[in-house]
Amino acid sequence: MSEGDSAGDSVHGKPSVVYRFFTRLGQIYQSWLDKSTPYTAVRWVVTLGLSFVYMIRVYLLQGWYIVTYALGIYHLNLFIAFLSPKVDPSLMEDSDDGPSLPTKQNEEFRPFIRRLPEFKFWHAATKGILVAMVCTFFEAFNVPVFWPILVMYFIMLFCITMKRQIKHMIKYRYIPFTHGKRKYKGKEDVGKTFAS
């Protein structure tokens, strides 16, 4: 291997300016992602705000419906992955390879592990909105379509997909949403002391 053949190396063996710039940019981006991790509600409010701005832009421009439809399908796929367990119980019925969800009342409790964690769901959904927003600046993506057909097809696809997902959830008895750790009540403290 000759000098300068590895990724980002210049002729003299030091990283090139462009490589260092994009490496530093990636580090800053990752730092912001790391800092935003604990603020779930704020992240989703920002994403909903971006989505609202995107919808206003599409409404005012009266175009880019196919991009909006593709964004909707992408978000539907992300949502289904978010609702699905990491290990599909239908594939694990006959084998004993690894953990699975309890299917009987007397089975051991196993926590619900998502196929797509919440943070990755938020990150992918936000990136999707930003990519769709960028697409609205290019006329090449403004394919003329009759948008009511796309809306009806999306609603139909959403209903069929969610019906199938809900049947799967009922069949294998899992609920993808929890409200924190269960709190067990002990005996109530009556406030009396045992003074003689």
Side-chain angles (χ1 to χ4, degrees):
M1 191 178 219
S2 67
E3 227 178 305
D5 282 350
S6 63
D9 284 353
S10 67
V11 177
H12 303 293
K14 290 193 269 183
S16 67
V17 175
V18 174
Y19 177 76
R20 284 186 292 167
F21 172 76
F22 283 109
T23 301
R24 182 67 186 136
L25 196 65
Q27 290 171 345
I28 292 170
Y29 177 69
Q30 188 62 48
S31 171
W32 279 97
L33 281 179
D34 293 343
K35 288 176 185 175
S36 72
T37 301
Y39 304 107
T40 307
V42 174
R43 286 188 281 118
W44 282 103
V45 165
V46 168
T47 300
L48 289 174
L50 279 172
S51 184
F52 185 68
V53 168
Y54 173 76
M55 291 299 170
I56 288 174
R57 179 165 172 74
V58 168
Y59 176 75
L60 293 176
L61 293 175
Q62 294 292 310
W64 288 272
Y65 301 120
I66 201 79
V67 173
T68 305
Y69 175 73
L71 178 64
I73 295 295
Y74 179 65
H75 282 175
L76 180 61
N77 282 333
L78 290 175
F79 186 61
I80 293 300
F82 177 72
L83 293 178
S84 300
K86 186 173 186 176
V87 179
D88 190 0
S90 63
L91 300 175
M92 299 298 291
E93 281 180 338
D94 297 329
S95 67
D96 292 328
D97 302 335
S100 63
L101 294 172
T103 55
K104 297 181 182 94
Q105 188 68 23
N106 59 356
E107 278 191 32
E108 176 186 342
F109 170 75
R110 292 184 182 100
F112 183 79
I113 301 171
R114 299 179 187 285
R115 187 175 352 147
L116 182 66
E118 180 274 330
F119 184 81
K120 289 183 179 181
F121 177 35
W122 165 79
H123 190 232
T126 305
K127 284 193 304 187
I129 293 167
L130 292 174
V131 167
M133 186 86 73
V134 168
C135 287
T136 61
F137 289 100
F138 299 99
E139 195 63 36
F141 295 110
N142 190 11
V143 178
V145 292
F146 187 59
W147 66 267
I149 296 293
L150 289 179
V151 171
M152 291 194 40
Y153 184 65
F154 179 77
I155 290 171
M156 184 177 68
L157 189 64
F158 178 81
C159 291
I160 291 170
T161 306
M162 289 310 296
K163 179 180 176 185
R164 185 180 53 133
Q165 186 67 28
I166 291 169
K167 280 184 177 180
H168 191 268
M169 289 163 54
I170 291 170
K171 181 178 180 183
Y172 294 103
R173 296 182 180 174
Y174 65 90
I175 300 172
F177 301 106
T178 57
H179 299 290
K181 187 177 177 180
R182 282 187 185 174
K183 294 183 181 177
Y184 298 98
K185 292 183 180 178
K187 293 182 180 179
E188 291 186 29
D189 185 17
V190 290
K192 296 179 181 177
T193 59
F194 293 103
S196 352

